[in-house]
Amino acid sequence: MQTQRNYRVSIVECPDGWEPNSLDDSPGGLRCIEDIGSHDAIEEALEQVIAFNRGEIDDGPKRWAVVFEPPVRGRSHYRVCTPLTYRLVHIHWPEGWQPESPLDVPTCSWRDQSDTSGEYGFDEAIEAARSLNEAHLLEPSFERWTMVVAIECEPLHTSIYCDHLGTETSTTVRRLHVVRPNTGSRDKLFTTVRSSH
């Protein structure tokens, strides 16, 4: 029995006049033409998407690669995962941990609930985390560390609750991936060490 991969890379048609904001952007009204890859990890799928789209962007894209998650139990449609957005997350500094670089990430973390970071592009998030952590390294008594998380586009689940007074509350669950440094080029910086649902 063949195991199903977590992420699928598909070619979609681009609407006339559509201009992507990034190499992992997704046009609206997606109509798949063909599947070109399947991957266990989002970073592998993202690398394929960026490589394909880089070749399409110069002439005004007619075809574009997008990352999808195939249907799963409880969801009958393909979930659009790109474009990814990035957020800074502040964590409590683990006792005894010593970072190897300003972009290092501990293997376990406890999120600081006061975090209110906005969304960034990839390069902006990396530079903001690097800058904050370089300052933290100069203050040995500092108790927080900053890391970058990548957020998939379409939510896993959205729930809407209405109480007896008619107050409506919605909860959106998105998949997050921790971004951490990797040996190699800057393009290979994105690696997932754990995901949250």
Side-chain angles (χ1 to χ4, degrees):
M1 181 175 157
Q2 189 175 11
T3 58
Q4 185 172 355
R5 297 293 186 96
N6 295 329
Y7 296 97
R8 184 166 297 173
V9 176
S10 300
I11 304 300
V12 300
E13 288 183 348
C14 296
D16 289 340
W18 179 72
E19 294 184 10
N21 293 317
S22 64
L23 288 171
D24 72 335
D25 202 359
S26 297
L30 299 176
R31 190 174 85 74
C32 292
I33 300 170
E34 65 176 305
D35 293 333
I36 60 170
S38 60
H39 304 275
D40 290 324
I42 187 82
E43 67 269 20
E44 297 165 358
L46 191 64
E47 282 182 22
Q48 184 178 11
V49 159
I50 289 172
F52 180 90
N53 293 343
R54 189 172 277 134
E56 295 289 315
I57 199 165
D58 292 336
D59 302 323
K62 302 288 184 223
R63 302 175 344 132
W64 197 253
V66 175
V67 179
F68 292 96
E69 183 184 47
V72 294
R73 186 175 175 180
R75 175 173 47 81
S76 60
H77 69 282
Y78 280 76
R79 188 175 64 84
V80 182
C81 301
T82 51
L84 298 177
T85 54
Y86 299 88
R87 186 180 292 266
L88 301 184
V89 173
H90 305 293
I91 61 170
H92 294 279
W93 191 302
E95 186 176 349
W97 177 69
Q98 289 300 318
E100 295 180 8
S101 77
L103 293 175
D104 201 2
V105 175
T107 54
C108 61
S109 59
W110 175 29
R111 184 172 176 176
D112 184 336
Q113 296 302 314
S114 66
D115 173 40
T116 56
S117 165
E119 291 183 352
Y120 293 79
F122 179 75
D123 290 334
E124 293 82 7
I126 293 298
E127 288 310 313
R130 184 194 313 273
S131 177
L132 287 167
N133 289 336
E134 284 174 348
H136 296 172
L137 290 172
L138 296 174
E139 295 184 57
S141 62
F142 206 81
E143 297 181 353
R144 291 201 313 171
W145 189 252
T146 302
M147 60 187 190
V148 179
V149 293
I151 306 167
E152 293 181 11
C153 180
E154 188 176 337
L156 290 167
H157 178 71
T158 300
S159 301
I160 299 175
Y161 304 95
C162 191
D163 66 17
H164 67 284
L165 298 174
T167 303
E168 189 177 274
T169 304
S170 63
T171 303
T172 300
V173 179
R174 295 183 185 276
R175 184 171 289 137
L176 308 177
H177 304 272
V178 175
V179 178
R180 66 176 293 156
N182 191 6
T183 56
S185 72
R186 184 179 177 83
D187 290 341
K188 302 282 188 181
L189 186 65
F190 182 95
T191 57
T192 305
V193 291
R194 59 193 172 279
S195 300
S196 299
H197 297 269

